[in-house]
Amino acid sequence: MKLNNFSARGTTVALRTADTAPTTAARIVPIAKGDDGLELPVTSLAPEGLLDALSSLGAKGGAGETLRLLIDGTVYLTTGLGNADDIDDEAVRRAYGVAARALGDIKEAAASCEFGTQAVVEGLLLGSYKYAGFKSENDNSPAIVTVVGADQDEFDRAVAVADSVNFSRDLVNTPAAFLYPEAYAGIVKDLAEEWKDEVDLTVEVISGDQLAQQGFGGIVAVGKGSKNGPQLVHVSYDGGGDKHIALVGKGITFDTGGISLKPSANMEDMISDMGGSAAQLGAIVAAAKLKLPVRVDAWLPMAENMPSGNATRPGDVITHYGGKTSEVLNTDAEGRLVLADAIARACEDNPNYLIEAATLTGAQLVALGARTTAVIGSDEFRDTVAEIGRGVGEPAWAMPLLEEQEEELKSPVADMRNVHNKRTGGTSFAGLYLSKFVPEDVEWVHLDIAGPAWNGGSPYGYVPARATGAPVRTIVETISRIAADQV
Ligand code: BES
Ligand code: MN
Ligand code: ZN
């Protein structure tokens, strides 16, 4: 099977379920900080005397703390949950994520499920993810972890979701020379074909002259500075039911800024500027694997934002899908231009919900830091999705649409301008711009993941360096709740 240029993938531990731990396997044992010192909240994999041994070693049970002990020929790897009173799913995911990364040369391990199959499995699969890229020497033969006492259905669902997060991470981690728009669209087509027994997805790609002919002026304008032409990828999944959800994700495979060129410092991080589209792909694959009873259509505009003799200029006016016009005053505010087309197209099919994700503004990082998604949209749905994000361990916070920015959006020569040239409220301004392409009767949410999509620092909890896979789990959980009539 030809996999285009998507040969470098991350690796994780391999999971299997069993009733008992193999005798030779290292035991992963969670420990916690109690009021009166160290606690062993679950004991199924712990030997007699472990607590005393740990105490004498000075173990505290704090989050992030791991220790290895050899007792009677068996290795025990302890991982801290933090305060015993505050143990929730997120603490468990983090502790098992940290443990998975601490396995090192341990090739066989066991974990038990007293704290919930889902949290343990997600922690292990998300935390162990390692992307070695194109290193010529790669000694990474992943460990096998036996999960003891798992609920099998919950195990299968957690694996489906975690695999989708890691798939999204793989796409985002892939350098732009391998993941340019045509290659990206090809990968989506090839994988849908390869996975067709497990997931029922339909893929349609609009590219070349078709884009201009069908009126996608925003996608054409952003893509035309590059030799690697833009693409609009449409992925659908129909699980029945009467709910229709549209997903839209920013797919800028590299963002130089275009003629409004970015400074060179950290420009390499702009390989992650397709993180919104990668998250939507992960989400629709998960929805299909979980056979959620909803109809989902993902619209993913892909373009490489490059400066060249054929690039869009500041001052140009473009016509979006559906006829609205934008004055492009800054070619680095390109995400909103491609999203406008994709949103307009997605809404033509009258979805009940629109979930859109994009690495859209540096202002998101200024407002909320690097890990918290900015959530803008219809009042109620926005708050629901922000809460869902916090619930699954993907921090998210609602941000307003600002009345005073209506004036700032006005252009003398077009329906709107793409930037307001102010230092204030950049994330909200981008949200207001996008809102003009969403019909009144669609429940809409925009997730600005400029910071959360990429971890430029060290791994923490179950989040690796580089691509994080955010906000796949937020979107999957939102789709699940809509399917279950809980939104
Ligand atoms: N892709 C960037 C946003 C971004 C910045 C993502 C940092 C991840 C990390 C986006 O296309 C962009 O360049 N936005 C501009 C908008 C400005 C010109 C109004 C920005 O935020 O500076
Ligand atoms: Mn940009
Ligand atoms: Zn961008």
Side-chain angles (χ1 to χ4, degrees):
M1 171 59 55
K2 176 171 135 284
L3 276 184
N4 276 302
N5 304 308
F6 197 40
S7 56
R9 306 282 294 265
T11 55
T12 67
V13 294
L15 296 188
R16 53 186 284 265
T17 55
D19 294 335
T20 54
T23 44
T24 49
R27 269 77 169 146
I28 298 174
V29 181
I31 60 177
K33 220 185 216 170
D35 289 339
D36 306 312
L38 194 64
E39 286 183 14
L40 256 183
V42 299
T43 53
S44 64
L45 295 179
E48 203 72 22
L50 181 66
L51 196 58
D52 288 342
L54 286 167
S55 299
S56 67
L57 287 169
K60 297 276 182 286
E65 178 195 281
T66 60
L67 276 169
R68 275 196 210 191
L69 288 83
L70 183 65
I71 301 176
D72 290 339
T74 300
V75 174
Y76 296 88
L77 173 65
T78 66
T79 183
L81 289 157
N83 287 333
D85 294 339
D86 305 329
I87 301 172
D88 56 8
D89 282 355
E90 180 64 4
V92 172
R93 267 192 296 270
R94 289 183 186 180
Y96 281 84
V98 169
R101 264 189 292 110
L103 283 172
D105 52 2
I106 296 174
K107 292 298 170 212
E108 202 189 1
S112 64
C113 283
E114 287 92 343
F115 280 125
T117 303
Q118 183 183 0
V120 169
V121 168
E122 286 185 353
L124 290 169
L125 285 179
L126 297 176
S128 63
Y129 177 91
K130 260 201 212 88
Y131 184 79
F134 301 83
K135 284 180 185 290
S136 57
E137 275 174 49
N138 182 6
D139 59 350
N140 192 11
S141 64
I144 297 173
V145 181
T146 300
V147 179
V148 180
D151 174 295
Q152 191 64 45
D153 285 346
E154 202 180 321
F155 178 90
D156 293 342
R157 284 199 301 273
V159 170
V161 172
D163 282 352
S164 293
V165 173
N166 287 336
F167 166 51
S168 168
R169 289 171 174 178
D170 284 343
L171 289 167
V172 175
N173 277 328
T174 302
F178 303 118
L179 198 96
Y180 47 92
E182 192 182 353
Y184 192 2
I187 288 165
V188 176
K189 271 195 288 192
D190 286 357
L191 289 178
E193 174 66 25
E194 188 191 326
W195 294 341
K196 69 170 184 282
D197 294 333
E198 210 191 335
V199 292
D200 193 3
L201 299 174
T202 311
V203 182
E204 168 205 18
V205 178
I206 306 169
S207 62
D209 294 342
Q210 288 294 313
L211 283 168
Q213 275 165 26
Q214 294 183 32
F216 294 100
I219 297 172
V220 170
V222 173
K224 75 196 183 108
S226 173
K227 278 185 170 176
N228 300 313
Q231 318 262 318
L232 176 60
V233 174
H234 173 207
V235 185
S236 2
Y237 158 71
D238 190 352
D242 54 6
K243 307 269 175 36
H244 182 201
I245 303 168
L247 305 178
V248 171
K250 176 174 173 181
I252 299 299
T253 56
F254 196 77
D255 183 12
T256 66
I259 295 298
S260 313
L261 192 63
K262 284 183 182 297
S264 51
N266 303 117
M267 201 201 275
E268 65 275 15
D269 290 356
M270 285 301 114
I271 67 166
S272 67
D273 213 19
M274 32 59 73
S277 60
Q280 301 297 17
L281 282 167
I284 197 169
V285 170
K289 281 190 184 168
L290 300 174
K291 300 199 166 22
L292 298 177
V294 281
R295 194 176 138 209
V296 185
D297 280 277
W299 292 91
L300 313 170
M302 298 169 180
E304 185 173 58
N305 189 20
M306 295 287 254
S308 83
N310 195 44
T312 293
R313 296 150 288 248
D316 283 354
V317 173
I318 62 176
T319 303
H320 294 284
Y321 190 85
K324 289 201 168 75
T325 57
S326 287
E327 182 187 11
V328 181
L329 291 174
N330 188 322
T331 64
D332 196 13
E334 83 297 340
R336 63 200 73 180
L337 303 179
V338 300
L339 291 167
D341 283 12
I343 290 172
R345 176 61 192 85
C347 289
E348 200 171 73
D349 299 335
N350 300 309
N352 308 103
Y353 298 88
L354 167 65
I355 304 171
E356 172 260 308
T359 48
L360 205 60
T361 65
Q364 176 277 317
L365 285 122
V366 177
L368 296 176
R371 298 182 186 179
T372 299
T373 295
V375 189
I376 292 174
S378 319
D379 291 349
E380 246 180 89
F381 190 48
R382 171 200 65 209
D383 290 344
T384 301
V385 174
E387 208 173 300
I388 287 173
R390 294 192 291 271
V392 300
E394 291 179 333
W397 205 257
M399 300 267 282
L401 290 167
L402 302 170
E403 193 182 14
E404 69 269 26
Q405 290 186 332
E406 293 282 359
E407 204 55 42
E408 301 168 6
L409 195 60
K410 290 188 176 148
S411 158
V413 294
D415 296 333
M416 63 199 101
R417 46 192 281 170
N418 77 328
V419 291
H420 65 334
N421 286 334
K422 288 205 160 116
R423 292 166 48 83
T424 52
T427 299
S428 289
F429 182 87
L432 185 67
Y433 175 94
L434 295 176
S435 75
K436 302 302 173 191
F437 297 87
V438 184
E440 284 290 329
D441 58 348
V442 176
E443 296 290 333
W444 160 64
V445 77
H446 157 60
L447 302 169
D448 191 334
I449 53 167
W454 188 256
N455 174 17
S458 302
Y460 57 91
Y462 51 87
V463 180
R466 297 170 60 97
T468 64
V472 171
R473 289 179 302 122
T474 302
I475 299 165
V476 174
E477 183 60 23
T478 302
I479 298 173
S480 303
R481 297 238 191 131
I482 291 171
D485 247 325
Q486 289 166 356
V487 165

